[in-house]
Amino acid sequence: YQRRVRADQSVFSLAACATELRSISLYSCRRITDEAVKAICSSCPHLEEFNLASCTNLTNISVDLISMSYPNLTFLSLSETQIDDIGLISLANQNHKLQTLILQKCPKISFAGVCSLIERSSELKELDVRYCKVIGWEDVLNSLNLRDQTISKPFLLRISFAANCSYQQKLEFNQKLTDMKGHWTYVNIDSHFDDII
C-alpha cells in the first residue's frame, strides 16, 4: 500500500509542474492507481496522447476520468489494465476523436464491448486487442464486415490467438479472412498466432 501511495505522489508532482504536456507515457508504472490518473486529468488539460499500458491497478475509474477530461485525445493505450466493457462504452461515448486504442491483454473486455466501441467510434483507425482471449475471431470478423459498410476511412484491427488455438482453427480463420477481404473496402486485419504448443 505504501509503495502505491509513493508512486501516486510521484505522479502528483509531475502533473503539477507539467501542465502544458500534450503526451504522457506512464508505461509499466505498475504501482500507480486511479488517483494518479485523477491528478493528471486535473492538472494537464491538453493531452492528446496517453500511454497507461501495464499500469495494472487502473480501473474504469481512470477510463471515466480520461473520457470526461480529454475530448481531443487521439491515442490511448490501456493494455494490461482492469478496464471492462463499461469502460469501453464510456470511451466510445465521450472520445469522438480517438484514432488509436491499444487494449492488449485486457482480461475483462469482451466481444460485446469491442463491438460497441467499433460501432460508436467514427474516427477510430486502429484497435489492438491482441492477447484478449475472450474475444472470438468469428464474431470480430462478422462485426467488421458490418462496419465496413458504414465507414469511409481505413481501419486496422490487430488481433492474436492463444497457443491453445488448434491448427484447424488457424486454417479456418485464414480462409475466412481471405474470403472476407474481397468484400472490404477499408478494413485491414493484422493477425498473429502464438506458437502452437
Side-chain angles (χ1 to χ4, degrees):
Y1 172 77
Q2 290 178 344
R3 289 179 179 177
R4 288 182 185 176
V5 170
R6 285 198 295 269
D8 284 347
Q9 288 173 342
S10 297
V11 175
F12 299 163
S13 300
L14 168 69
C17 65
T19 57
E20 296 302 313
L21 285 179
R22 297 194 178 273
S23 178
I24 290 180
S25 177
L26 295 174
Y27 172 76
S28 203
C29 292
R30 296 183 183 274
R31 293 193 177 115
I32 67 168
T33 69
D34 295 319
E35 289 300 312
V37 174
K38 182 178 180 181
I40 290 171
C41 292
S42 297
S43 301
C44 305
H46 306 296
L47 283 189
E48 297 173 5
E49 299 180 353
F50 207 168
N51 185 352
L52 294 165
S54 300
C55 297
T56 53
N57 291 310
L58 300 186
T59 69
N60 284 345
I61 294 171
S62 288
V63 177
D64 289 341
L65 289 165
I66 292 166
S67 296
M68 291 184 291
S69 302
Y70 300 118
N72 294 319
L73 199 68
T74 59
F75 173 92
L76 179 61
S77 179
L78 292 166
S79 297
E80 293 188 84
T81 62
Q82 300 304 311
I83 182 177
D84 62 21
D85 291 348
I86 295 171
L88 288 183
I89 292 170
S90 176
L91 280 173
N93 287 339
Q94 307 256 3
N95 296 87
H96 301 298
K97 295 187 179 180
L98 195 62
Q99 296 178 10
T100 302
L101 180 59
I102 314 297
L103 297 170
Q104 292 184 30
K105 298 182 182 178
C106 289
K108 296 183 178 180
I109 64 172
S110 72
F111 165 69
V114 170
C115 279
S116 294
L117 180 75
I118 289 173
E119 290 166 4
R120 300 177 193 200
S121 302
S122 59
E123 295 298 312
L124 194 64
K125 296 178 180 177
E126 180 177 345
L127 176 62
D128 188 339
V129 289
R130 284 178 286 182
Y131 312 108
C132 295
K133 295 180 181 179
V134 297
I135 299 174
W137 61 264
E138 271 193 338
D139 292 330
V140 172
L141 290 182
N142 290 333
S143 171
L144 287 173
N145 196 36
L146 294 173
R147 180 186 158 101
D148 192 62
Q149 299 171 20
T150 62
I151 64 173
S152 58
K153 297 178 181 178
F155 179 78
L156 174 64
L157 175 71
R158 296 186 189 278
I159 52 179
S160 69
F161 302 91
N164 61 2
C165 178
S166 72
Y167 181 72
Q168 184 62 35
Q169 288 173 311
K170 179 176 179 179
L171 289 178
E172 288 174 8
F173 170 77
N174 285 334
Q175 184 58 53
K176 184 156 189 173
L177 182 56
T178 299
D179 293 344
M180 296 179 81
K181 276 182 177 176
H183 301 291
W184 290 342
T185 307
Y186 294 104
V187 174
N188 289 297
I189 287 191
D190 173 14
S191 60
H192 168 73
F193 284 84
D194 292 344
D195 292 335
I196 295 176
I197 297 174

